[in-house]
Amino acid sequence: MSAVRVHNLSISLDGFATGDGQALDAPFGHAGERLHEWMFATRFWHETGAAGADHVFAARHGEGVGAEIMGAGKFGPPGWQDDPAWRGWWGDTPPFRTPVFVLTHRPRPSIEMGGGTTYHFLDASPAEALARARAAAGGLDVRVGGGPTVVRDFLAAGLVDHLHVVQVPILLGRGVRLWDGLEALEETYTIEAVSTPSGVTHLTFTRLRQGR
Ligand SMILES: NC(=O)c1ccc[n+]([C@@H]2O[C@H](COP(=O)([O-])OP(=O)(O)OC[C@H]3O[C@@H](n4cnc5c(N)ncnc54)[C@H](OP(=O)(O)O)[C@@H]3O)[C@@H](O)[C@H]2O)c1
């Protein structure tokens, strides 16, 4: 069966994956761009970026992925559901290039974008959303793209096979935390940590197979 993967989910030392006060002019709230500066410096992000260890981790994001699931909080700023013209942050040709399933309590008709991305809007449980995404992924893996609320829900439901978290050495103090309610998650994963010269630590969680 295809795997369920999370990549490049960047968190502060105190566990926040986004800041407080998300808005149209502040997609990450008071965190600004601080959670992703490590990524902006890589070739994964722009062609003159560094091709070192951070790039190697970042570039795994798209390999073998046939669909993404994201939350309403990643798709747009608070209240985007009231704007019928809102089509996500990423312009007419979004970088996903696959079906994208947006979890929202206020679904709307699907939107076909350029470059192979189609947004589908679902009010469904994580397991139901995963079944839809798997069916659309053509045998490839499904990425859970965030934000932290949706990743936390998929982890709590035991649905994530591979989790890549990037711990950034900043303290945000407020925002949306990833780890709340996930006590002892580490018991069901093999965990590796790699710190890179940029100062971040890449944590990879690989789910232990049942019966081992
Ligand atoms: N640090 C990173 O690497 C990273 C990665 C991705 C995103 N982000 C940031 O994270 C923030 C968004 O994260 P978030 O935790 O606030 O929100 P989120 O996880 O993107 O979305 C949560 C929202 O999705 C909807 N939803 C979730 N599960 C649902 C279900 N089963 N059925 C129907 N609707 C469901 C609900 O919205 P409604 O009730 O309003 O429909 C819920 O409030 C943004 O600031 C984004 O920029 C950070």
Side-chain angles (χ1 to χ4, degrees), residues 152-163:
R152 190 191 319 117
D153 289 349
F154 274 73
L155 287 168
L159 295 174
V160 177
D161 298 303
H162 174 86
L163 169 68

Side-chain angles (χ1 to χ4, degrees), residues 3-26:
V4 178
R5 294 159 40 192
V6 176
H7 287 274
N8 300 343
L9 186 66
S10 302
I11 64 171
S12 60
L13 288 177
D14 46 353
F16 295 99
T18 193
D20 200 16
Q22 298 163 40
L24 187 59
D25 61 354

Side-chain angles (χ1 to χ4, degrees), residues 40-193:
F40 300 148
T42 66
R43 191 160 300 179
F44 169 72
W45 196 258
H46 67 98
E47 59 187 25
T48 58
D54 286 338
H55 163 77
V56 172
F57 276 104
R60 297 174 71 193
H61 176 265
E63 294 166 1
V65 169
E68 162 148 337
I69 298 169
M70 70 169 68
K74 174 174 173 178
F75 186 68
W80 65 263
Q81 293 95 336
D82 296 321
D83 177 0
W86 181 260
R87 292 157 69 88
W89 296 105
W90 302 276
D92 292 337
T93 308
F96 308 106
R97 303 183 184 278
T98 67
V100 173
F101 294 85
V102 180
L103 282 168
T104 173
H105 292 104
R106 295 173 60 191
R108 57 174 63 179
S110 300
I111 310 173
E112 192 171 338
M113 308 293 290
T117 298
T118 303
Y119 294 126
H120 303 284
F121 300 87
L122 291 182
D123 184 354
S125 70
E128 291 165 342
L130 177 56
R132 285 284 304 274
R134 271 211 167 107
L140 297 177
D141 291 347
V142 174
R143 185 178 54 238
V144 179
T149 302
V150 160
V151 173
R152 190 191 319 117
D153 289 349
F154 274 73
L155 287 168
L159 295 174
V160 177
D161 298 303
H162 174 86
L163 169 68
H164 169 224
V165 171
V166 186
Q167 191 168 274
V168 182
I170 59 171
L171 290 158
L172 287 176
R174 57 204 159 93
V176 182
R177 290 169 50 89
L178 173 63
W179 301 121
D180 289 357
L182 296 176
E183 182 179 345
L185 182 77
E186 71 283 357
E187 292 175 2
T188 51
Y189 288 87
T190 300
I191 303 170
E192 294 181 7

